[in-house]
Amino acid sequence: MAAQFGRRLRKGATATTVAALVVAALSASEAPGSTSLPADERAAEATDPPGTAVTGNSPYFTDLPPLNTPNRPNKPGTSIDLPVVAGPAEAGIPATVLAAYKRAENTVRASQPGCRLPWQLLAAIGKVESGQARGGRVNANGTTLTPILGPQLNGVGFANISDTDDGAYDGDATHDRAVGPMQFIPSTWATWGRDGNADGRKDPNNIYDAALAAGRYLCAHDRDLSQQDDLDQAILGYNRSREYLRTVMSWFDYYRRGNHEVPDGAGVLPVTTGPDSHVGGSGGNRPGGRGATTPPSSPGRPGSGKPPESGKPDDDTTPPAKPPKTPPAKPPTTPPPAKPPTDPAPAPVAALERLGSASVTATEGERFSDRLRVRAKTAAGKAVPGAKVQFQIVGDTAARFPGAATRVVVTTGVDGIATAPVLGAGGRPGSFVVHAKALGAAARTADFAATVKAKPAPAPRSDALVRTSDKELTARAGGSFADTVEVKATYKGKAAAGVGVTATMITGDADKPVQNDKGPYFEDADGKAVRTLTALKTGADGLLKLPVIHTDGNAGTYKLRLTTADGVVLVVELTVTAATTAPPAEPSTTPSAPSSATPTA
């Protein structure tokens, strides 16, 4: 970051002297989470992390939090009356912005629990990058009321990044600019952009989208943000400046000590001057301007909005006031505050014990119901908390962890157990293996066999069932119907193949059918009479021909009820006429032979 821009952003209540005093006080306190750097690192930047910084190293606000936080007031009797950078309202975060940070934390926690992303870190970055979206000037959906754009990254004092988005996000078709409340450059947003408010868009000007994208970026490379080294690298990946790191960590520590919600638009804005501010450009120091608001202060002091008593303009060349000749009293000697205890390094992992089933199964397009779990153990069999375990998908499969990841790193809990996030089966059947490995240890991997089954084909559907002929169906009792019953099933006007059909001889109302026990019937393979058939299906053309229908000796009108699996019903009427009676035998016309009677004597 150009030195002149840093000076410009420090004007007002955050003069260079004040900022130095605040940094010194925070360093001396050894506050939890504060970053203490060696002298050589304070003099020069450390090695840059790989990749392009989120903001393209755009300028940022260097205002520091007040020392009298809600939970850490200035002690009476101190020898140095440190000025307050901003009033207690600095702890207030606009409601929609605060909700976006907390939603991003919950979303990331569900898919990357090992990252341990705190929402206060997002708040710290949002404060430094845009003053919490210009004090919460967002609409109900979380989109800024006016664009928040950084200066043109044309290599003059900043990075040189040629246009990558055709001006779609930043309105600049020549060079890129950092965009939105979390100040993403377009090329980085193209990779890390997320839809945080489920409106179907990925908009860097929306605080929900930008906060979730920032959270994902900070958690990249399997970082555990509860570890200071990973936390430092994550912040430096946002803007490669050690001063930036110290500023963000100061706000991170401040918000963790106390914060509260304020209405949208009521947040305290950082102090800024000049037309190059990355929170709106032309806001300047105008009250209500797009870039800043001026905190209250006494007349003649920086940031008061009033000229100094000398009448000289308030600029960077104004010499600081001379200190009083009488030196201040020395502060009472007090022992330095005790350093916070540090977590002991986890014991070496000698083995990973697989918990639950060694094989898991799911159907394509769904999720595995069984979670993959292992316990890290020492050589003596004791659980190892705080160990990092990597779950990695190995094999030709579309199965993925949340965020389309093929590997995730999870830290074991107090019981030594690491549970992988829910595993999605993907859209391709097959088998694969998930390796669980203790990072930094020589313990053997614990393997899980996983199988994705093919999704069953959807059942054929139908919405109509009709006869292919309107010919009356008639037969004599004791015979059979000469005409075959043929029907056709369709769905949305097209032939429905493979539709299951049930045929039943019924009596009574068709809506409340009862199987008939007399009249027409079918025959099974053994030639026995049956009056219900269930294993019927339409062919590729949607047609179905029923077997021959026989009749018993009962004449009358009967009903055949056909029903598809979708509940489509067709009732066919069957008429059985009485059998004809055989005519009496005709009398014989041939003379009868004489009987042979024995004559009587």
Side-chain angles (χ1 to χ4, degrees):
M1 188 184 70
Q4 64 178 21
F5 204 93
R7 289 198 306 273
R8 182 161 58 249
L9 291 181
R10 289 191 191 91
K11 278 197 62 176
T14 54
T16 305
T17 304
V18 174
L21 289 172
V22 175
V23 172
L26 284 175
S27 300
S29 70
E30 291 295 328
S34 63
T35 304
S36 180
L37 300 173
D40 57 338
E41 288 192 354
R42 287 197 298 268
E45 297 282 330
T47 303
D48 287 346
T52 302
V54 166
T55 66
N57 289 341
S58 289
Y60 55 88
F61 289 112
T62 58
D63 294 28
L64 293 171
L67 295 183
N68 56 338
T69 65
N71 296 328
R72 186 179 61 182
N74 286 332
K75 293 182 179 180
T78 180
S79 62
I80 301 177
D81 184 16
L82 291 176
V84 175
V85 177
E90 283 289 358
I93 301 176
T96 299
V97 178
L98 180 60
Y101 295 150
K102 291 184 176 181
R103 181 184 295 186
E105 178 193 63
N106 291 334
T107 301
V108 173
R109 181 187 299 162
S111 60
Q112 295 174 270
C115 176
R116 293 180 170 83
L117 171 71
W119 69 260
Q120 293 91 339
L121 177 59
L122 297 175
I125 292 175
K127 178 69 174 179
V128 171
E129 292 297 343
S130 68
Q132 310 297 21
R134 296 186 191 141
R137 296 186 67 234
V138 297
N139 63 21
N141 293 325
T143 302
T144 58
L145 300 182
T146 53
I148 300 177
L149 299 176
Q152 189 181 65
L153 299 176
N154 55 10
V156 182
F158 314 115
N160 188 354
I161 303 178
S162 298
D163 175 64
T164 61
D165 67 329
D166 246 357
Y169 292 123
D170 55 14
D172 191 328
T174 304
H175 290 84
D176 273 349
R177 298 171 181 259
V179 181
M182 302 302 278
Q183 288 290 279
F184 276 84
I185 57 174
S187 57
T188 307
W189 182 259
T191 300
W192 293 95
R194 294 293 186 272
D195 180 9
N197 60 352
D199 65 353
R201 299 180 60 211
K202 298 177 182 178
D203 183 3
N205 293 297
N206 183 278
I207 185 60
Y208 287 101
D209 296 358
L212 180 57
R216 295 291 192 201
Y217 184 91
L218 293 168
C219 288
H221 308 298
D222 299 323
R223 294 189 183 108
D224 179 356
L225 298 182
S226 66
Q227 303 297 317
Q228 190 65 50
D229 288 345
D230 283 1
L231 179 60
D232 289 353
Q233 288 303 310
I235 298 173
L236 287 172
Y238 218 94
N239 192 312
R240 297 199 187 102
S241 162
R242 286 287 169 175
E243 181 184 4
Y244 180 84
L245 172 62
R246 290 189 287 271
T247 305
V248 169
M249 287 302 303
S250 296
W251 282 106
F252 179 35
D253 178 60
Y254 180 73
Y255 285 133
R256 286 193 302 176
R257 291 172 179 268
N259 58 79
H260 60 273
E261 178 183 304
V262 298
D264 288 346
V268 174
L269 296 179
V271 176
T272 181
T273 60
D276 292 332
S277 168
H278 68 308
V279 291
S282 60
N285 276 335
R286 292 182 293 106
R290 293 190 300 165
T293 185
T294 304
S297 58
S298 59
R301 295 181 64 183
S304 66
K306 296 182 180 181
E309 294 179 1
S310 64
K312 295 180 179 180
D314 184 17
D315 56 23
D316 288 346
T317 60
T318 303
K322 293 183 179 180
K325 294 181 179 181
T326 304
K330 293 184 178 180
T333 303
T334 56
K339 294 184 178 181
T342 57
D343 295 332
V349 179
L352 285 181
E353 176 190 2
R354 185 176 53 224
L355 303 179
S357 176
S359 59
V360 292
T361 305
T363 302
E364 63 175 314
E366 299 179 1
R367 295 181 176 182
F368 285 84
S369 57
D370 296 320
R371 299 284 289 273
L372 309 183
R373 301 166 65 238
V374 295
R375 178 184 282 112
K377 300 165 63 175
T378 64
K382 293 185 178 181
V384 180
K388 289 189 176 183
V389 177
Q390 175 181 277
F391 293 88
Q392 183 172 8
I393 299 171
V394 178
D396 183 15
T397 178
R400 294 292 185 269
F401 290 113
T406 58
R407 62 177 182 140
V408 293
V409 176
V410 180
T411 304
T412 58
V414 293
D415 53 2
I417 295 177
T419 302
V422 175
L423 180 60
R428 188 168 71 246
S431 298
F432 60 97
V433 175
V434 177
H435 291 313
K437 177 184 179 182
L439 298 180
R444 294 180 59 183
T445 62
D447 295 341
F448 296 85
T451 302
V452 178
K453 299 184 299 184
K455 189 173 184 179
R461 301 193 61 186
S462 62
D463 55 16
L465 186 67
V466 297
R467 282 186 62 197
T468 58
S469 171
D470 57 0
K471 185 177 180 180
E472 293 184 2
L473 298 169
T474 306
R476 290 182 182 274
S480 59
F481 287 84
D483 297 313
T484 302
V485 176
E486 183 182 64
V487 295
K488 183 174 184 178
T490 58
Y491 182 67
K492 295 184 177 179
K494 296 182 179 181
V499 174
V501 178
T502 298
T504 305
M505 302 296 178
I506 65 167
T507 182
D509 190 352
D511 294 331
K512 296 180 180 179
V514 176
Q515 180 177 287
N516 210 337
D517 59 357
K518 63 181 181 179
Y521 63 89
F522 303 102
E523 287 185 351
D524 62 12
D526 297 328
K528 294 180 180 180
V530 292
R531 290 185 168 85
T532 297
L533 297 177
T534 56
L536 303 174
K537 284 190 176 181
T538 60
D541 53 3
L543 296 175
L544 170 64
K545 287 186 178 181
L546 272 61
V548 175
I549 301 174
H550 304 279
T551 65
D552 59 11
N554 297 288
T557 301
Y558 297 91
K559 295 176 181 177
L560 169 62
R561 186 175 189 265
L562 302 171
T563 308
T564 71
D566 292 312
V568 180
V569 176
L570 172 65
V571 177
V572 179
E573 190 172 276
L574 304 174
T575 302
V576 179
T577 59
T580 56
T581 304
E586 295 286 339
S588 177
T589 57
T590 304
S592 58
S595 61
S596 56
T598 304
T600 59

